[in-house]
Amino acid sequence: AKRLGYAPNAAALALRGGRSMMIAVVIKDFDDPFLGTITRELQGLANKKGFSLILTGFGKGASGPDISSLSRFNLDALIICGSDLRVDWIKPFLRKGLPCVQIGSGVSCCGLNRVEIDEDFGIEIILKYLLSLGHRNIAFIGDYTGSHMRRKKIFKNIYAKIFRAVRPFTISVPSGRCAGIQAMKMLLRKSQKRPFTSVVAADDIMAQEALRALYDSGLSVPSDVSLSGVDDIPSARLCIPSLTTVRAPVDVMVRKAFELVIEKSLTGDMARSLKIRPELVKRESCSKVRTL
């Protein structure tokens, strides 16, 4: 069999009641900066276990993927990559008992496994780091998407716990290109009476856009304003100054998600939810508060 290059036919195995050895991977956003890392990790894990991957995703503006294309396969598992998804389209797969896992945060769904970053811990470590640098007036910028609004709420709660009665300055703007520039410009306009020394952006893309807005306004990072983000996307270390951020351990999250659905497809265990703690990456965009 090895000499002839024989491999078992997945369709024939499925007809006999065996496993098809096929896993569907559904991508919410093909512009996600972590997409390459996620697919590379999944491909490596699947290859080691003898599985094949079927890749699909959300069309522009769509609330779900093309379910009809997925229904043509006798899948062994479904892995969903992305946060804050509508879960209606997942329910038919769950009713069939298909092991499903989401890599990302969002609305809970009975039977759906989840692996996500511990955002509370991530926001807390960045705020404690800024506190250690002498910052007290720390602002938050984000847009109106689910993940940003969730991080804004976490920021406000943890800020209140650390700084007691001090109320943080937060700005939210409509999502879209250059939302970080708009948010930063709005913050600068509204902060005349409430000066800030540091800004936490809801993600690294918004932080990098805010960096541009600060530069255009004649402000220096970190001399005038310390700036930080969340996620540690690949470009975070390349911008000038390099971005202090909270690193999402994407490779660990992918591995845990793969293990969850493979174990469930074998044992039929109940759905589980895992929160993976991120780590603080200290770079050039944050410094001690400048004293006059």
Side-chain angles (χ1 to χ4, degrees):
K2 183 177 181 180
R3 180 169 56 84
L4 296 174
Y6 169 79
N9 186 287
L13 288 172
L15 287 172
R16 290 180 57 191
R19 305 174 79 190
S20 67
M21 305 304 290
M22 290 188 291
I23 298 174
V25 179
V26 178
I27 305 295
K28 179 189 176 185
D29 181 7
F30 283 101
D31 292 327
D32 189 329
F34 289 122
L35 179 58
T37 301
I38 291 170
T39 52
R40 183 183 66 244
E41 291 292 327
L42 284 174
Q43 177 59 36
L45 292 165
N47 187 54
K48 287 180 181 178
K49 295 289 186 179
F51 285 90
S52 297
L53 300 181
I54 300 168
L55 185 66
T56 187
F58 286 56
K60 193 170 181 62
S63 59
D66 181 7
I67 297 177
S68 60
S69 64
L70 293 179
S71 301
R72 293 200 296 268
F73 299 95
N74 184 28
L75 301 171
D76 282 330
L78 179 67
I79 299 176
I80 306 147
C81 305
S83 295
D84 302 298
L85 300 159
R86 289 185 59 181
V87 296
D88 306 18
W89 64 271
I90 308 171
K91 292 178 180 178
F93 297 100
L94 294 172
R95 284 195 290 267
K96 293 178 183 178
L98 184 71
C100 300
V101 64
Q102 178 183 358
I103 303 173
S105 304
V107 178
S108 298
C109 182
C110 183
L112 178 65
N113 295 273
R114 170 170 284 121
V115 179
E116 60 185 313
I117 183 176
D118 189 338
E119 294 179 313
D120 293 72
F121 180 78
I123 299 296
E124 183 171 359
I125 58 176
I126 190 64
L127 280 176
K128 285 184 175 179
Y129 174 59
L130 292 171
L131 174 64
S132 73
L133 296 176
H135 296 276
R136 298 296 183 274
N137 299 315
I138 306 169
F140 177 92
I141 58 171
D143 60 31
Y144 291 119
T145 58
S147 60
H148 284 207
M149 295 303 289
R150 182 174 58 253
R151 289 174 180 179
K152 175 182 175 180
K153 182 179 179 180
I154 293 169
F155 175 89
K156 292 171 74 173
N157 290 339
I158 294 176
Y159 195 101
K161 182 175 70 173
I162 293 175
F163 298 100
R164 304 300 180 187
V166 179
R167 186 169 59 89
F169 203 156
T170 62
I171 295 289
S172 294
V173 297
S175 60
R177 293 186 64 182
C178 301
I181 292 177
Q182 296 174 31
M184 193 69 245
K185 287 182 176 179
M186 184 181 296
L187 177 61
L188 291 170
R189 287 198 304 270
K190 293 188 174 183
S191 63
Q192 301 299 322
K193 296 181 180 179
R194 291 185 60 191
F196 58 91
T197 61
S198 180
V199 177
V200 176
D203 63 30
D204 289 348
I205 293 176
M206 180 154 279
Q208 291 177 25
E209 292 173 347
L211 180 63
R212 179 70 203 194
L214 289 166
Y215 174 81
D216 290 343
S217 300
L219 295 172
S220 174
V221 175
S223 298
D224 298 316
V225 179
S226 285
L227 180 66
S228 58
V230 178
D231 289 335
D232 194 26
I233 62 176
S235 59
R237 64 182 179 85
L238 299 176
C239 56
I240 302 175
S242 56
L243 185 64
T244 295
T245 185
V246 177
R247 175 179 292 160
V250 178
D251 53 344
V252 176
M253 294 169 69
V254 171
R255 187 168 65 250
K256 292 292 185 183
F258 189 84
E259 291 171 356
L260 279 179
V261 289
I262 297 306
E263 287 174 7
K264 192 170 188 295
S265 68
L266 291 170
T267 64
D269 289 341
M270 296 292 288
R272 297 169 60 192
S273 180
L274 301 177
K275 285 195 175 185
I276 310 298
R277 283 193 164 187
E279 64 176 310
L280 179 64
V281 182
K282 301 175 185 178
R283 296 198 180 102
E284 300 166 340
S285 65
C286 290
S287 67
K288 291 184 177 181
V289 174
R290 185 174 61 178
T291 56
L292 299 177

